[in-house]
Amino acid sequence: TGQHYSHDMSGQFQQELQLPDVDVQLTVDRDSAMRMGEMMKGVGEAIAVHQPDAVVVFGDTDSTLAAALASTRAHVPVIHIEAGLRSFDRRMPEELNRILTDQLSDLLFCPSEDATEQLRSEGISNGSRPGLHVEAVGDLMLDTARFHGGIPEKIQSERPRLVLLTLHRPSNVDDASRLQDWFDGIGALAQIEGLSILFPVHPRTKKTLVALWGDNWKGELKARNVAVH
């Protein structure tokens, strides 16, 4: 859909995971407002060509909502995986995407019973409108992590208390003082528990780390038992 327009965020993973070529590749504007409209147009055109029985959308990205809107306009049922999740923070674009996608969807697969309860509190439940069905099916992300996860034995034997860290949400990493608080806390926990932290650095996070600590940002993290990958 063009949600990730750079090679580093899209094409690289297709190559490394040896995924087959996609059937439809959209090129969209990087501006979020224009991008959403162009995604809707592209998905709508794909629906017109392929005539699907349903459209499956995952998660809470702009492409999720754009596809749900395009499908609804085309009168094609929408299946939403990871439905019912809420942060209760409407400053997050993802939160608005979640709420609106759930309202548009016909089949909602929830990762937990809590998520189905949340939908019920919003008036989305089995029988609330014709064709709508809600089902708790488990957490796809957790299942994937369990199936593919784990640290290679060689690394695990050398560093038995190794923990993988990811940190990239704008509300956590865009503010330098908040980001420092995160790493101060992570470093303190690592010292108490005897942990080594392996940290694949997102470009967004790296930008703030450089602004915070300059060229010595890796050294600052290393002092907190955080190894950069």
Side-chain angles (χ1 to χ4, degrees):
T1 61
Q3 173 78 31
H4 291 139
Y5 42 79
S6 75
H7 177 77
D8 289 343
M9 295 293 286
S10 178
Q12 176 179 323
F13 296 106
Q14 292 176 351
Q15 292 174 357
E16 290 182 357
L17 298 174
Q18 299 180 345
L19 300 176
D21 292 338
V22 298
D23 296 309
V24 180
Q25 180 74 53
L26 303 183
T27 301
V28 299
D29 195 290
R30 293 191 180 190
D31 176 78
S32 60
M34 294 299 296
R35 182 177 64 187
M36 181 82 77
E38 291 177 4
M39 286 178 183
M40 287 180 60
K41 180 175 182 292
V43 173
E45 291 172 348
I47 289 172
V49 170
H50 294 282
Q51 295 290 304
D53 295 315
V55 170
V56 181
V57 297
F58 288 78
D60 55 19
T61 63
D62 286 349
S63 59
T64 303
L65 177 57
L69 286 164
S71 304
T72 302
R73 291 290 297 271
H75 306 293
V76 175
V78 178
I79 301 170
H80 186 200
I81 296 175
E82 297 183 346
L85 298 179
R86 299 290 182 268
S87 69
F88 305 103
D89 181 0
R90 292 205 175 198
R91 295 171 299 177
M92 295 174 56
E94 296 90 345
E95 182 74 351
L96 301 178
N97 292 345
R98 293 172 190 138
I99 293 170
L100 294 172
T101 299
D102 283 340
Q103 289 289 339
L104 295 168
S105 297
D106 301 279
L107 182 57
L108 298 99
F109 289 141
C110 301
S112 66
E113 292 292 349
D114 287 347
T116 65
E117 288 298 322
Q118 178 61 36
L119 291 176
R120 187 174 293 111
S121 73
E122 297 175 12
I124 303 172
S125 60
N126 294 330
S128 59
R129 61 176 168 81
L132 188 146
H133 184 76
V134 179
E135 190 77 34
V137 297
D139 189 337
L140 180 63
M141 295 296 287
L142 179 59
D143 290 345
T144 302
R146 284 173 170 166
F147 185 81
H148 293 286
I151 298 168
E153 290 184 9
K154 181 178 184 299
I155 297 177
Q156 191 69 38
S157 63
E158 295 171 354
R159 302 164 70 182
R161 299 283 286 167
L162 185 63
V163 175
L164 180 69
L165 168 69
T166 64
L167 191 63
H168 66 272
R169 188 170 292 282
S171 58
N172 288 326
V173 306
D174 284 356
D175 182 273
S177 61
R178 176 173 293 179
L179 186 59
Q180 178 161 352
D181 287 344
W182 268 114
F183 282 111
D184 288 345
I186 291 166
L189 180 63
Q191 185 174 9
I192 293 170
E193 298 292 337
L195 304 175
S196 295
I197 312 296
L198 183 63
F199 182 36
V201 183
H202 190 282
R204 185 182 199 110
T205 311
K206 179 182 176 180
K207 181 179 178 181
T208 307
L209 288 169
V210 171
L212 180 62
W213 288 317
D215 293 338
N216 191 43
W217 64 276
K218 291 184 180 179
E220 291 285 346
L221 292 180
K222 185 176 181 180
R224 293 165 171 79
N225 287 355
V226 178
V228 174
H229 174 67

